[in-house]
Amino acid sequence: MDITSIKSVLHELSEEILPSRFETAQQPEPNIIQFCLRGINSQTWIEVSWSSDSARILKINRPEKLGAESTLSKQLRFGLKYMALVTIKQDKFERVIKFGFAKKPGDEINKYLIFELMGKHSNIFYLDNNQKIIAVGKQINSNQSSFRTVSTGSIYSEPPKNMKKEPSPDESYENWKESISSVPETLKYCLINTYQGVSPILTKQLEAFSNLGSSEIMNKNIDFISEVNLKKIYQSWKIWIDRFNNNNFNFSIFDSFFYSVWFLKSEINNINNIDEINGLENYYDFYLKQRKIDALIKKIDGIIFKQTNLEKKNFNLQSDLLINSENYQIYKEKADKIFMTHEIQKKDIIKGQKLYKKSKKLKRAQNLIKERIDIYKNKLDRLEEFSALVDNLNSLKNENLTIRINLLEEIKDEICREFNVRTRNTRSQKKDLSRLESAPIEINTPKGLKIQIGRNMRQNDLISFKFSKKGDLWFHAQESPGSHVVLKSSSQKPSDEDIQISADLAALFSKAKMNIKVPISLVNIKDLQKITKGGPGCVSFHNVEIIWGNPTRGKDYIKKNLKRLI
């Protein structure tokens, strides 16, 4: 979060929560603290992250209860209970925020929360009235920093002062140009390296605000930028400083991706009038969840890739052993030749007996090896199914991001449990999974019958056995991994259209979804059996009927009829 956004958030919060009473705190992830303050009329939740790549402070909606047992959150709840937040301080372009707490408004401040939002150096401190550190987000020893060490019990020292030039509204164009021209760099880095408070996002905002007709001005060497364009940038620079100093903020999206807090409503092409605090919360919520989804997919793909290589290695080893075991007849024939000779000696008898023994051993091993080959083949098939489930999450682009995260976490947990894969435990993984369990997709057919679609192994198991009734119909892509689809036809007889759309959805949620047509197995629920040793979602069936599903038609249908997954 850039300094302009930080100041805009603090400006809004200062008007809303000064003074207010501290109520509670929780730590949902190792580098995030959320705490609640109660004002005269309402509660306000604040989230602070000291993550190196997304350090931020935001007002948020009431979060789910998560992380109340962390040591830091307990210390804050115990130390700040019933205390009043009386001051919020942040000096000009510095990225250090100080929350001061007193027993009641008007009393002397005796507790502090300090947030340093400075990229990889970000941190959080909880101090007493003597500036002694009671708790800290991350401790820093002398090997990690030569400037200062950070540990509980030590006295807090501020980070080094920013020695860059402070932006001034009174600076002339000539002085400004001379300051940024001292080093022959791109305009972007001239501004960043010369002035306080300048971040890469601010340079993009200045470029967009100046309407230069070129989107690459900031990446040009300052010596190759025309005087006209440079003066336009300077005018935008002056406007930014003025609005920063006067707390004139307004949230907006520009370039369809980035956000700004200092463009006025008349200067943006934003149809929706977005509140600043809510706009920032929604922006960070969306992109942080999207990043978490990408990280989970990468993690699951890595687990599947590593486990697939292991199972393939075992499969190939057993295949080689099977080929070798098929030579048992050769060893028997060699032994027979030895005993068929007229002149046989003791050493020949010993050699022949060894050959017979080896032949019998290889013959006995064949069945065991074939069993092992089947086990490894089934494991490879299961990994294919998990891979297909992850791929199918992208079938619905308008799906709720929280649901996608929960689904991915469940799939990762299922793979790790089934294949005994150990992953590093973090606080975010110690969630109450029973509360976060996702539900299968439910959608109605054109005639009003319900269709259920499993998105992971647990859901596949539930809709196929626990939720199903006699008379329901089960659909699955033939010889292709994918989701189980159940048409709830026990209540009334399904039409041909109901059956067809169920087949289309089974084709869509399968690995064969890129095909024009997909063969679908249609089975009555009563003809479906669970394979107990095969893991969740493993089934066998008989009396199958094959029909054709169209994935494209299934995709069009689900987009029209499934507005939003909750």
Side-chain angles (χ1 to χ4, degrees), residues 190-215:
C190 284
L191 289 169
I192 291 172
N193 295 330
T194 305
Y195 288 97
Q196 297 178 23
V198 182
S199 59
I201 189 62
L202 177 62
T203 63
K204 286 183 178 292
Q205 292 165 356
L206 291 169
E207 188 176 72
F209 190 83
S210 301
N211 291 318
L212 301 174
S214 171
S215 59

Side-chain angles (χ1 to χ4, degrees), residues 347-363:
K347 64 178 182 179
D348 296 325
I349 294 171
I350 294 172
K351 184 178 179 181
Q353 287 176 337
K354 285 183 178 179
L355 289 169
Y356 276 133
K357 190 175 181 180
K358 189 169 185 178
S359 175
K360 289 178 181 179
K361 185 178 180 181
L362 289 173
K363 190 176 181 180

Side-chain angles (χ1 to χ4, degrees), residues 41 72 105 166 189 226-227 231 249 256 278 283 295 303 316 374 378 380 412 415 442 469 480 483 519 557:
N41 299 316
L72 179 59
E166 184 179 309
Y189 288 107
S226 69
E227 198 75 8
K231 283 184 177 179
F249 300 117
S256 304
N278 290 331
Y283 182 90
I303 293 171
N316 293 334
D374 288 339
N378 289 335
L380 288 169
K412 180 168 75 71
I415 298 172
E442 290 191 351
K469 295 180 180 178
S480 179
S483 296
Y557 186 83

Side-chain angles (χ1 to χ4, degrees), residues 1-2 6 48-57 95 116-120 122-123 284:
M1 179 177 273
D2 67 303
I6 290 173
V48 181
S49 169
W50 55 99
S51 169
S52 61
D53 56 353
S54 57
R56 62 195 182 274
I57 180 168
R95 301 175 67 86
E116 296 178 356
L117 306 183
M118 303 179 294
K120 66 179 181 179
S122 299
N123 212 341
Y284 278 94

Side-chain angles (χ1 to χ4, degrees), residues 41 94 98 126 327 411 460 467 494:
N41 299 316
E94 293 294 334
K98 298 180 180 179
Y126 170 40
N327 295 328
I411 290 172
N460 284 342
F467 298 162

Side-chain angles (χ1 to χ4, degrees), residues 300 304 378-393 406-419 437-441 453-467 474 476 480-486 509-511 528 530-532 534-539:
I300 294 170
I304 291 174
N378 289 335
K379 285 185 175 183
L380 288 169
D381 290 341
R382 286 290 282 178
L383 289 166
E384 279 280 309
E385 289 181 37
F386 280 116
S387 181
L389 290 172
V390 175
D391 290 341
N392 287 337
L393 277 172
N406 289 346
L407 279 166
L408 286 166
E409 286 180 339
E410 286 180 26
I411 290 172
K412 180 168 75 71
D413 187 57
E414 287 173 345
I415 298 172
C416 293
R417 191 165 52 245
E418 186 165 328
F419 290 89
E437 284 184 349
S438 57
I441 292 175
I453 305 167
R455 305 299 299 282
N456 56 34
M457 297 301 183
R458 179 186 62 83
Q459 290 182 13
N460 284 342
D461 221 39
L462 287 174
I463 67 172
S464 297
F465 298 103
K466 188 173 181 179
F467 298 162
W474 182 87
H476 194 283
S480 179
S483 296
H484 295 196
V485 175
V486 174
F509 289 96
S510 75
K511 195 168 184 179
L528 199 67
K530 185 174 183 177
I531 303 175
T532 52
C538 281
V539 301

